[in-house]
């Protein structure tokens, strides 16, 4: 059996508890020994361009049905057609905001330079077809464009408590759609190293854009 030093064990245990708390799913809280993915999220990202450079990323996260049911039972009273502002604010506070300490699990690079995600705006949540949907925007301050520029977007939990996948039907979008100044491609199962579970596949959206 692999030896785990006490400080490392405590850190990993804390990570799982934090994830369980911020995801408001106490019934899914797991010990490190059972830390295969417990939450599954399907992503869509839209690259918003302005004046020839990336201005923002708009994300949509669609949760699995089990987590969605837990989220609803913890926060939503009755079966409203639309969530109240107070309910959305409570979900953001208790089941999303603490993701900031993990950079919202967004792995972002512009021209191969890592970009730390520390702020998001416009958080919203809804339920559709029995699944919870988070929507939010990541503002960007892109560097001065070079002759050819690349932005790489992935969402990945290195502890592998949460499994993120880009949606097969629409992994990405570009705005403005009528006159796109960027071109994007999508790659499935790019090898990524987890902290406890070896190499797993992660999805990556790569976009290129020229200098204005």
């Amino acid at each position: 059996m692999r030896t785990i030093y006490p400080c490392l064990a405590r850190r990993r245990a804390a990570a799982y508890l934090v994830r369980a708390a911020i995801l408001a799913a106490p019934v899914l809280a797991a010990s490190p020994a059972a830390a295969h993915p417990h939450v599954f999220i399907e992503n869509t990202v839209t690259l918003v361009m302005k004046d020839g450079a990336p201005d923002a990323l708009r994300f949509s996260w669609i949760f699995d049905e089990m987590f969605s049911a837990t989220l609803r039972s913890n926060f939503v009273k009755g079966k409203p057609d639309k969530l109240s502002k107070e309910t959305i604010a409570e979900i953001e506070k208790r089941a999303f905001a603490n993701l900031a300490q993990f950079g919202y699990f967004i792995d972002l690079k512009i021209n191969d330079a890592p970009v730390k995600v520390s702020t998001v705006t416009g958080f919203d949540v809804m339920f559709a077809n029995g699944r919870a949907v988070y929507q939010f925007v990541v503002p960007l301050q892109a560097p001065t464009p070079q002759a050819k520029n690349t932005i790489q977007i992935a969402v990945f939990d290195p502890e592998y408590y949460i499994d993120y996948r880009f949606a097969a039907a629409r992994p990405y979008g570009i705005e403005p759609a009528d006159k796109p100044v960027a071109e994007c491609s999508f790659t499935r199962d790019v090898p990524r190293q987890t902290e406890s579970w070896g190499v797993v596949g992660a999805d990556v959206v790569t976009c290129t854009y020229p200098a204005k």
Side-chain angles (χ1 to χ4, degrees):
M1 187 177 198
R2 183 176 54 182
T3 299
I4 299 178
Y5 292 101
C7 61
L8 180 58
R10 287 195 297 271
R11 184 179 68 81
R12 289 178 177 172
Y16 295 121
L17 292 175
V18 166
R19 282 162 170 79
I22 60 182
L23 292 172
V27 298
L28 299 178
S31 67
H36 53 78
H38 287 277
V39 180
F40 299 84
I41 300 177
E42 194 174 58
N43 290 287
T44 294
V45 63
T46 298
L47 173 64
V48 181
M49 302 291 290
K50 183 178 180 181
D51 296 329
D55 183 64
L57 298 174
R58 187 167 63 249
F59 283 92
S60 176
W61 289 0
I62 304 176
F63 290 85
D64 64 85
E65 292 182 356
M66 182 178 292
F67 171 79
S68 298
T70 302
L71 189 73
R72 179 183 281 277
S73 67
N74 285 354
F75 291 102
V76 183
K77 296 180 180 180
K79 296 182 179 180
D81 294 332
K82 186 176 181 180
L83 300 183
S84 67
K85 292 182 179 180
E86 292 76 15
T87 297
I88 293 172
E90 185 69 6
I91 292 174
E92 180 177 15
K93 178 181 178 180
R94 294 179 55 194
F96 181 71
N98 281 354
L99 289 174
Q101 64 187 300
F102 302 104
Y104 300 92
F105 298 124
I106 297 170
D107 186 356
L108 178 64
K109 292 182 180 180
I110 298 180
N111 293 336
D112 292 324
V115 176
K116 182 179 179 180
V117 176
S118 57
T119 302
V120 303
T121 63
F123 177 81
D124 196 8
V125 59
M126 66 189 72
F127 288 86
N129 300 319
R131 301 176 70 180
V133 182
Y134 282 5
Q135 295 178 326
F136 59 94
V137 174
V138 176
L140 296 177
Q141 291 184 338
T144 302
Q146 304 173 9
K148 185 177 181 180
N149 304 270
T150 301
I151 179 169
Q152 293 178 316
I153 309 155
V155 190
F156 182 71
D157 176 8
E159 287 280 358
Y160 207 42
Y161 186 91
I162 308 167
D163 182 41
Y164 289 92
R165 294 286 174 178
F166 278 105
R170 186 183 181 274
Y172 63 84
I174 306 172
E175 291 186 359
D178 56 339
K179 295 181 180 180
V181 295
E183 295 183 353
C184 296
S185 61
F186 169 62
T187 305
R188 183 79 78 186
D189 291 327
V190 176
R192 289 290 178 93
Q193 181 69 47
T194 64
E195 295 185 12
S196 304
W197 296 92
V199 176
V200 301
D203 298 342
V204 179
V205 170
T206 302
C207 302
T208 60
Y209 58 97
K212 185 177 179 182

